[in-house]
Amino acid sequence: MTTKKILITGGAGFIGSHVVRRMVNYYPDYHIYNLDKLTYAGNLENLRDIENSPNYTFIKADIVDGEKMHSLFSEYQFDAVIHLAAESHVDRSISNPMEFITTNIVGTVSLLNAAKANWKTFDEKLFYHVSTDEVYGSLGEEGFFTEETKYNPHSPYSASKASSDHLVRAYHDTYGLPIKISNCSNNYGANHFPEKLIPLAIHNIKNNQPIPVYGKGENVRDWLYVEDHATAIDLIFHKGKVGATYNIGGFNEWKNIDLIHLLCRIMDKKLKRADGTSAKLITYVKDRAGHDLRYAIDATKLNKELGWNPSLQFEEGLEKTVDWYLTNEDWLNHVTSGDYQKYYEVQYTKR
Ligand code: NAD
Ligand code: DAU
């Protein structure tokens, strides 16, 4: 059997690192190429445990660089792509939309072009695009996003992801490129950059800093443990139908303020602080512009077709996540040094 060569983009980031680790460890017959630009969000420390595996290669490159993508496809003859590289933080997309247009839209097209041009036949080839539930817009109190829900993105981030989803489908419909897309809800777990709600709150509680809660804290998100997302990606990659979309979610909705109170209770316990200590840090701040009220995924299709279910209860996953941050202080110190402080000063001054 010839080795399958799989290109994973954005593998040094939060979700990508879990996908890379899973594919390297579970599929020794595959060779995994992790292509990442190493932006502020990419960190090779996330992959220390597998970096010397014989079936793993890291490539530092920018997906926006079309010529480079062409030459890499031509050199390595990848059989499949799992595309995760993106600018991923909604607040950053509000202050700097152009970077999201460039990476998320132009970068995706540059990969699509490289695949289309270099795959002599599309047999046994696959371009799997990893996307978000934010493309569907915002729900009211009731209902769920299904695969049939119309796209209605609101932030520059979600509009750029919606655009990349449409372009991936367009390459399937126009050129016959074999594609799959999944749209997932909010992930949490190890390696999550502390600009997103959960790791930011853990970091701030640990350092006795205010926990910024946007608006009244009433927005709802559906949280999924990152390793469960990686399992779903593995399943869809291997068993999902070509041309299809799958929604992935945790059936686990939380109002932000309720989630923060739960996290505060866990942090009090872990840090051996008196009950209620962490909750005193909760600080209501100006709301996010265009803040989507509620996301909730209906993952029935993925469950019925491929038998996927989330494996962890939220409280259990959150405790595991807190334990990871408390035992990986070096990681947290490293990623919160340098530019991180500057970013936060700007964020807070603007609010
Ligand atoms: P992340 O920001 O943690 O990681 C993104 C990675 O992409 C980083 O390693 C970064 O260096 C790399 N990257 C950025 N620009 C690049 C470029 N031009 N060329 C090459 N590499 C580049 O993001 P994440 O949270 O792990 O999200 C990964 C993917 O999953 C994204 O496509 C995101 O839209 C999607 N997604 C995320 C979530 C979530 O909750 N985090 C949920 C659903 C879908
Ligand atoms: O739904 C999937 C999406 O989830 C992914 O596509 C994105 O890449 C990912 O960043 C995430 O987007 P959100 O905007 O939902 O995640 P974030 O952690 O930034 O915010 C979660 C909620 O918490 C949201 O309602 C905004 C709020 N929030 C966020 C921050 C950073 C706060 O109240 N305070 C904060 O400081």
Side-chain angles (χ1 to χ4, degrees):
M1 177 189 159
T2 51
T3 301
K4 234 186 171 170
K5 297 174 174 182
I6 301 178
L7 173 68
I8 300 182
T9 69
F14 167 45
I15 301 169
S17 60
H18 292 275
V19 176
V20 166
R21 174 174 299 101
R22 184 179 175 90
M23 299 300 274
V24 165
N25 288 338
Y26 279 56
Y27 302 100
D29 289 342
Y30 294 172
H31 196 101
I32 303 302
Y33 296 85
N34 169 18
L35 185 155
D36 201 295
K37 183 181 170 184
L38 299 182
T39 66
Y40 78 95
N43 184 355
L44 290 176
E45 281 173 59
N46 296 344
L47 292 165
R48 281 285 175 259
D49 53 327
I50 57 105
E51 68 185 1
N52 293 319
S53 303
N55 64 336
Y56 173 75
T57 302
F58 174 67
I59 302 168
K60 186 172 188 304
D62 183 345
I63 56 167
V64 178
D65 183 345
E67 273 182 31
K68 179 81 181 166
M69 293 308 107
H70 253 292
S71 71
L72 288 171
F73 269 77
S74 157
E75 180 183 349
Y76 291 106
Q77 295 291 320
F78 305 119
D79 297 297
V81 181
I82 305 178
H83 174 38
L84 295 110
E87 286 294 335
S88 69
H89 190 39
V90 174
D91 293 327
R92 288 184 193 252
S93 83
I94 294 168
S95 42
N96 185 10
M98 194 52 91
E99 215 159 324
F100 286 69
I101 306 309
T102 310
T103 290
N104 299 358
I105 306 178
V106 180
T108 299
V109 175
S110 125
L111 281 169
L112 287 165
N113 281 342
K116 177 167 96 56
N118 285 283
W119 287 344
K120 292 175 190 71
T121 141
F122 291 163
D123 292 348
E124 309 284 314
K125 299 284 191 280
L126 179 64
F127 191 104
Y128 177 177
H129 177 62
V130 175
S131 192
T132 170
D133 61 356
E134 300 201 8
V135 299
Y136 297 124
S138 185
L139 292 162
E141 304 285 322
E142 307 267 302
F144 294 91
F145 298 133
T146 73
E147 288 79 1
E148 276 69 50
T149 303
K150 271 204 167 148
Y151 277 30
N152 185 19
H154 298 126
S155 72
Y157 163 70
S158 54
S160 71
K161 290 296 290 187
S163 177
S164 63
D165 291 13
H166 288 315
L167 284 156
V168 172
R169 282 197 196 94
Y171 272 61
H172 176 64
D173 296 344
T174 310
Y175 309 111
L177 197 79
I179 63 108
K180 295 178 188 177
I181 298 180
S182 56
N183 296 84
C184 188
S185 64
N186 286 61
N187 286 215
Y188 70 98
N191 304 342
H192 206 184
F193 194 81
E195 62 187 351
K196 312 279 166 61
L197 180 66
I198 291 180
L200 175 71
I202 295 173
H203 175 62
N204 286 12
I205 293 170
K206 188 170 154 266
N207 294 305
N208 278 309
Q209 295 294 314
I211 310 165
V213 174
Y214 297 169
K216 294 182 179 155
E218 285 176 352
N219 302 68
V220 174
R221 296 292 181 264
D222 168 5
W223 294 93
L224 178 69
Y225 192 59
V226 63
E227 289 180 27
D228 283 332
H229 189 188
T231 312
I233 289 174
D234 178 348
L235 207 54
I236 293 165
F237 177 78
H238 287 101
K239 305 230 168 88
K241 289 195 183 114
V242 172
T245 291
Y246 294 88
N247 279 356
I248 311 171
F251 291 108
N252 178 40
E253 290 181 53
W254 284 79
K255 265 191 189 162
N256 291 339
I257 190 63
D258 296 339
L259 184 164
I260 290 298
H261 275 291
L262 170 63
L263 187 60
C264 286
R265 288 196 292 277
I266 295 174
M267 291 295 284
D268 283 346
K269 191 173 77 181
K270 299 280 176 190
L271 296 171
K272 300 193 177 20
R273 292 177 179 170
D275 289 350
T277 309
S278 300
K280 289 194 185 118
L281 298 168
I282 293 173
T283 308
Y284 291 93
V285 299
K286 191 167 169 246
D287 209 351
R288 173 184 278 173
H291 198 172
D292 287 336
L293 178 67
R294 176 173 164 256
Y295 304 145
I297 278 278
D298 179 351
T300 307
K301 177 179 172 184
L302 183 57
N303 170 265
K304 290 248 158 68
E305 249 184 53
L306 304 182
W308 177 87
N309 268 313
S311 72
L312 279 189
Q313 291 297 311
F314 190 48
E315 283 80 349
E316 193 188 347
L318 210 48
E319 282 217 25
K320 273 177 84 143
T321 304
V322 167
D323 286 340
W324 187 85
Y325 281 91
L326 295 181
T327 49
N328 285 276
E329 282 207 323
D330 287 352
W331 184 95
L332 203 50
N333 290 339
H334 176 197
V335 302
T336 56
S337 61
D339 285 352
Y340 180 86
Q341 293 305 337
K342 258 189 267 157
Y343 168 74
Y344 266 95
E345 276 154 32
V346 175
Q347 281 291 319
Y348 286 115
T349 327
K350 277 198 182 154
R351 281 182 187 283

